[in-house]
Amino acid sequence: MYQVPQITDSIYYVGVNDRMKERFENLWEIPSGVAYNAYLIVDEKTTLIDTVDVCYSDIFFHKLDQILQGRPVDYLIINHMEPDHGGSIGLLRQRYPEMQIVGNKKTFDMLSGFHGITTGLHEVKSGDALCIGKHEFSFLMAPMVHWPEVMFTYEQSNRVLFSADAFGSFGALSGHILDTHLSDRQAYLEEMTRYYACVIGKYGAFVKKTLANIEKQGLDIEYVCPAHGVVWSREGFVEARDLYARLSNNEAEEGVVVLYGSMYGNTEQLADVVAQSLAAAGVKHIVCHNVSKSDPSVILRDIFRYRGLVIGSPTYCGELFSPIEHLMNLIRIRDVKGRLYAAFGSYTWAPAALKRLLPFAEEMKWEAVGAGVELKMADLPSVTAAAWELGAQMAERLKA
């Protein structure tokens, strides 16, 4: 007989899987889907933490009904108002009109804007407490991780941190809810890196503040329940927290992303020469991405992961190849820091790509490596040595 999964004897997982949507936020490919997590705590009062995308509200309500058996939801704690978590709030209030909604002032501004709800509100600030019987919640504001209203909720008796989007990952849940039940956590950690790069990445400074605040509070954490992905055990959270600390500190591995666009294969050949030079110089981690084929989320994941970045583009209508320009804008938006950067370009009759690529280092406050290489038409032999030297220079700087 089907039973709603439980984190503890009183905390139920009432989230849903989305294996239908092709792109998260209509931007990022999710071939393995995504989970929208919500949690129900049953005590003298019943408390729900977040809801789910409105497309899955019927499944969500069915799970609530199965647990509650006619009892109402007394409190809804909103950790994050983004519609993939807050989409069902309006319908939930219709089902439980006496339900108190718990959030901060910025939460309620958004609650009014998205759902027109302005009554039955219980405002909390950092350090405030809410007792529902044997369970007591405290609240930790986490603004800009990654929206301004975000907060974390800590349940003291079970030592559970509900962390909104922080420590979440892409990937629907395949039966298992807890990381301890997985044969390998690595797939979710990989997807956590991709999720961070796409969704959280711009706000690393705020992530650092929040991590420091968790440490300052001295919270004893047995489980971390994010809004996406698996629930982390104490042991698994050590890995997840360490990954977040590295990413938010812009700590990159020794490796290079070679990102290029190519219309007819000439720029691609130049990219291969650079990559082969890097390999010959002893760089172990080299990732080549054809911007027209690789998913932007995977490219961003690798740029967050590795310290070196080499971008190559053909000249197109006197400008950069537009998919390269788009990727550079995604990097700008995320304010990626501390990279080593080199560039190469190509053209047929009027060179433009390289002179548009080179200033990117100064713009991003990165260290420029080499003077760049530019290929005219298909005359690869004339620039092979220079491209090889560019790769060697990057490798040397990477290991310095």
Side-chain angles (χ1 to χ4, degrees):
M1 178 180 175
Y2 172 74
Q3 293 182 325
V4 178
Q6 292 179 246
I7 313 301
T8 70
D9 61 356
S10 55
I11 301 177
Y12 293 82
Y13 175 86
V14 290
V16 298
N17 283 312
D18 184 348
R19 298 188 182 93
M20 296 294 290
K21 196 176 275 87
E22 292 188 6
R23 293 178 183 272
F24 186 79
E25 297 182 330
N26 237 4
L27 288 170
W28 316 113
E29 289 187 7
I30 43 173
S32 298
V34 68
Y36 310 124
N37 296 345
Y39 306 91
L40 181 68
I41 298 89
V42 177
D43 201 331
E44 293 174 18
K45 298 287 188 180
T46 60
T47 302
L48 181 64
I49 298 183
D50 289 325
T51 70
V52 302
D53 190 301
V54 70
C55 298
Y56 292 89
S57 59
D58 55 341
I59 301 171
F60 173 61
F61 292 144
H62 175 73
K63 291 183 177 184
L64 292 180
D65 290 344
Q66 189 171 342
I67 300 163
L68 293 171
Q69 297 291 306
R71 290 184 66 182
V73 173
D74 296 303
Y75 291 104
L76 168 65
I77 296 174
I78 301 176
N79 280 340
H80 186 22
M81 271 297 303
E82 198 167 4
D84 54 336
H85 310 296
S88 297
I89 291 173
L91 294 176
L92 189 74
R93 171 52 79 80
Q94 290 178 27
R95 289 170 69 95
Y96 305 109
E98 302 302 315
M99 175 184 73
Q100 291 288 298
I101 299 179
V102 181
N104 56 71
K105 184 179 184 304
K106 291 180 179 177
T107 307
F108 297 150
D109 291 342
M110 294 184 182
L111 185 65
S112 174
F114 278 110
H115 298 286
I117 295 174
T118 57
T119 60
L121 310 181
H122 180 92
E123 184 177 343
V124 293
K125 302 179 177 66
S126 277
D128 287 353
L130 174 66
C131 185
I132 61 168
K134 295 179 181 178
H135 297 78
E136 184 173 311
F137 302 102
S138 58
F139 304 95
L140 175 70
M141 299 302 121
M144 300 316 302
V145 184
H146 60 122
W147 276 24
E149 89 300 356
V150 170
M151 67 183 193
F152 295 174
T153 300
Y154 179 68
E155 197 286 300
Q156 298 182 18
S157 63
N158 289 277
R159 302 184 298 282
V160 179
L161 181 68
F162 299 91
S163 62
D165 275 343
F167 314 113
S169 66
F170 294 130
L173 301 180
S174 297
H176 297 303
I177 307 300
L178 294 166
D179 74 305
T180 51
H181 296 162
L182 301 172
S183 60
D184 184 7
R185 296 189 189 102
Q186 193 56 42
Y188 282 100
L189 290 169
E190 287 282 321
E191 286 293 76
M192 179 186 287
T193 303
R194 189 165 72 97
Y195 184 88
Y196 182 98
C198 295
V199 180
I200 310 290
K202 179 180 176 65
Y203 305 106
F206 294 95
V207 172
K208 287 171 64 175
K209 288 180 182 178
T210 298
L211 291 176
N213 206 0
I214 291 173
E215 292 295 321
K216 182 180 178 182
Q217 298 290 325
L219 300 180
D220 181 18
I221 297 173
E222 191 67 32
Y223 297 104
V224 173
C225 296
H228 299 289
V230 293
V231 171
W232 299 104
S233 64
R234 184 185 293 272
E235 179 185 348
F237 179 53
V238 171
E239 292 185 72
R241 182 188 57 209
D242 288 351
L243 177 58
Y244 254 58
R246 292 197 302 274
L247 290 168
S248 62
N249 279 314
N250 293 284
E251 294 177 14
E253 299 175 42
E254 184 181 294
V256 180
V257 175
V258 180
L259 173 64
Y260 69 90
S262 191
M263 289 181 283
Y264 300 109
N266 297 308
T267 318
E268 183 173 53
Q269 291 183 68
L270 206 56
D272 282 338
V273 172
V274 172
Q276 289 162 17
S277 174
L278 289 163
V283 178
K284 298 297 184 185
H285 300 293
I286 306 164
V287 185
C288 293
H289 282 298
N290 179 340
V291 73
S292 299
K293 288 284 289 183
S294 294
D295 180 67
S297 67
V298 175
I299 297 171
L300 288 172
R301 178 200 67 191
D302 290 338
I303 289 171
F304 268 85
R305 176 176 291 166
Y306 297 119
R307 188 169 168 231
L309 174 61
V310 185
I311 300 182
S313 173
T315 298
Y316 186 80
C317 294
E319 302 289 340
L320 289 173
F321 189 49
S322 55
I324 287 289
E325 182 66 67
H326 173 61
L327 243 299
M328 290 170 67
N329 193 48
L330 292 179
I331 297 167
R332 284 187 189 97
I333 289 169
R334 280 150 188 81
D335 194 23
V336 180
K337 298 183 185 300
R339 296 301 179 263
L340 301 173
Y341 175 73
F344 60 91
S346 65
Y347 69 101
T348 296
W349 69 91
L354 187 61
K355 68 182 180 183
R356 284 165 171 73
L357 287 171
L358 289 175
F360 196 50
E362 183 177 358
E363 177 187 345
M364 298 297 297
K365 298 181 174 61
W366 293 344
E367 180 181 334
V369 176
V373 180
E374 197 152 40
L375 169 65
K376 183 175 182 179
M377 299 183 198
D379 188 14
L380 188 66
S382 69
V383 295
T384 299
W388 189 272
E389 177 61 20
L390 188 67
Q393 289 175 318
M394 175 62 78
E396 181 180 2
R397 186 64 196 88
L398 196 66
K399 295 180 178 184

